[in-house]
């Protein structure tokens, strides 16, 4: 059974940084996509960044150049380094796992089937 446990959210002022972590267990397939998504109140869940088993990354335009996704295979963990945070980045962030179907992992939530619990990120003005 696949499990994903996210952590690292918190409160930060605009311009600050946070790093999210997500540890996975029970992963049984080799061609995978891992990703970070976020959902603000009243809005749809949106893709933030994804990384594939072969290290290909995909970023939402809104975070390109500010956020960095990475993975540590030995620790079964992915990270989301978030720099230059803005108030509009305030949201609940989720990590997720899905099979890799394309060359680069999709940013759409429907492409992912296993989800971690959310972690709140709040960026104050």
């Amino acid at each position: 059974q696949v499990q994903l446990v996210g952590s690292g959210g918190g409160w930060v002022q605009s311009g600050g940084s946070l790093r999210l972590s997500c540890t996975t267990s029970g992963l049984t397939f080799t061609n995978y996509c891992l990703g970070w998504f976020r959902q603000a109140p009243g809005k749809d869940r949106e893709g933030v960044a994804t990384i594939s088993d072969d290290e290909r990354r995909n970023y939402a335009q809104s975070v390109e150049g500010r956020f960095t996704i990475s993975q540590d295979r030995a620790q079964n963990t992915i990270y989301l380094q978030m720099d230059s945070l803005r108030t509009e980045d305030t949201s609940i962030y989720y990590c997720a796992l899905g099979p890799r179907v394309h060359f680069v992992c999709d940013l759409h939530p429907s492409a992912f089937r296993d989800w971690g619990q959310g972690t709140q990120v709040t960026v104050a003005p």
Side-chain angles (χ1 to χ4, degrees):
Q1 183 180 356
V2 174
Q3 284 191 315
L4 299 95
V5 179
S7 62
W11 182 97
V12 66
Q13 284 194 304
S14 181
S17 298
L18 283 173
R19 189 176 80 155
L20 306 182
S21 302
C22 177
T23 300
T24 66
S25 61
L27 178 59
T28 59
F29 48 96
T30 56
N31 295 334
Y32 61 79
C33 290
L34 284 161
W36 288 98
F37 298 79
R38 65 187 182 188
Q39 187 167 19
K43 293 189 176 182
D44 293 334
R45 190 168 296 188
E46 62 174 356
V48 175
T50 60
I51 188 166
S52 66
D53 55 280
D54 56 358
E55 300 291 330
R56 298 183 196 279
R57 295 164 172 80
N58 193 11
Y59 294 96
Q61 193 171 9
S62 59
V63 307
E64 184 91 53
R66 300 188 298 123
F67 291 10
T68 303
I69 189 169
S70 62
Q71 63 181 326
D72 183 336
R73 295 172 186 272
Q75 299 294 325
N76 295 320
T77 300
I78 63 166
Y79 302 96
L80 185 68
Q81 177 66 41
M82 304 184 294
D83 299 318
S84 302
L85 281 160
R86 305 168 180 167
T87 55
E88 55 263 39
D89 295 318
T90 294
S91 194
I92 300 175
Y93 284 71
Y94 301 87
C95 56
L97 167 71
R100 181 163 64 85
V101 177
H102 303 295
F103 188 68
V104 175
C105 296
D106 205 327
L107 282 167
H108 200 283
S110 64
F112 292 76
R113 59 189 189 194
D114 296 291
W115 293 83
Q117 89 288 5
T119 184
Q120 176 71 45
V121 171
T122 302
V123 184

